[in-house]
């Protein structure tokens, strides 16, 4: 049995500094930025609108042999930065089941407020995927399925019936 810690790994190539593309509600608050380590090739291979990023020493064979590396930090403004981690995990794993579970944990539709909150989150995830140009049919099928599930839950919790 091999030691997983002895296996070579590929260091992230860039740090994404994500903020919201929406105007802040309170102009006196500082802009919130969240940092994520990514592999540029993974995103470039899965997102047709993902920009060309600056050179990273970690993208070379030599850069992956050192104990430390300096990564370029690239700022992106996304419609819903809070959903980026789910999009990123899906892009790396391609797990539709993971996406479904993260979007619909048990008891997610307990009341109208929680369903509306879920609808806003799914819309944000959809908007981020559009911004990056995600090219994955299974991803879009799951998003479509999830949206239908939200509409059904709203219909069941209220007297509202969606138009055809």
């Amino acid at each position: 049995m091999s030691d997983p810690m002895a296996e070579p790994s590929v260091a992230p190539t860039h740090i994404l500094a994500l903020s919201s593309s929406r105007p802040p509600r309170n102009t006196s608050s500082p802009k919130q930025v969240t940092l994520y380590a990514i592999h540029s090739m993974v995103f470039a291979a899965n997102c047709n609108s993902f920009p060309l990023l600056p050179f990273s020493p970690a993208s070379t064979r030599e850069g992956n042999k050192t104990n430390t590396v300096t990564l370029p930090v690239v700022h992106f403004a996304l419609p819903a930065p809070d959903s980026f981690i789910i999009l990123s995990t899906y892009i790396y794993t391609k797990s539709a089941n993971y996406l479904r579970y993260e979007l619909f944990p048990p008891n997610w539709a307990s009341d109208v407020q929680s369903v509306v909150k879920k609808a806003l989150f799914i819309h944000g995830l959809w908007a981020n995927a559009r911004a990056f140009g995600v090219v994955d049919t299974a991803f879009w099928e799951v998003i479509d399925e999830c949206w239908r599930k939200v509409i059904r839950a709203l219909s069941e919790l209220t007297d509202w019936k969606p138009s055809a």
Side-chain angles (χ1 to χ4, degrees):
M1 182 159 204
S2 67
D3 176 10
M5 296 307 287
E7 296 294 320
S9 62
V10 177
T13 58
H14 294 79
I15 300 292
L16 292 187
L18 297 182
S19 64
S20 178
S21 59
R22 289 181 254 157
R25 292 181 193 165
N26 182 352
T27 56
S28 64
S29 298
K31 182 185 252 186
Q32 181 177 345
V33 176
T34 307
L35 304 177
Y36 295 96
I38 66 151
H39 298 85
S40 63
M41 291 303 292
V42 172
F43 279 82
N46 290 280
C47 305
N48 65 12
S49 298
F50 198 74
L52 182 62
L53 299 180
F55 172 77
S56 171
S59 64
T60 66
R61 178 172 280 143
E62 296 75 30
N64 268 282
K65 290 181 181 178
T66 64
N67 290 331
T68 62
V69 66
T70 300
L71 300 179
V73 177
V74 181
H75 177 259
F76 280 100
L78 288 176
D82 56 323
S83 69
F84 176 79
I85 192 67
I86 291 175
L87 177 60
S88 176
T89 302
Y90 177 82
I91 286 172
Y92 278 95
T93 66
K94 301 292 189 177
S95 173
N97 288 334
Y98 160 81
L99 193 54
R100 284 184 191 96
Y101 180 79
E102 285 298 316
L103 293 175
F104 296 112
N107 302 319
W108 70 273
S110 56
D111 57 33
V112 172
Q113 183 179 356
S114 63
V115 175
V116 170
K117 186 176 178 183
K118 186 57 67 179
L120 292 172
F121 188 84
I122 291 170
H123 182 267
L125 179 61
W126 171 86
N128 287 349
R130 294 256 325 180
F132 278 141
V134 171
V135 288
D136 185 289
T137 303
F139 173 84
W140 294 112
E141 287 172 354
V142 171
I143 293 299
D144 200 36
E145 170 191 326
C146 291
W147 192 252
R148 287 192 309 272
K149 196 171 183 175
V150 164
I151 297 301
R152 194 171 329 125
L154 277 175
S155 180
E156 290 170 4
L157 290 169
T158 66
D159 290 333
W160 176 72
K161 301 296 179 216
S163 59

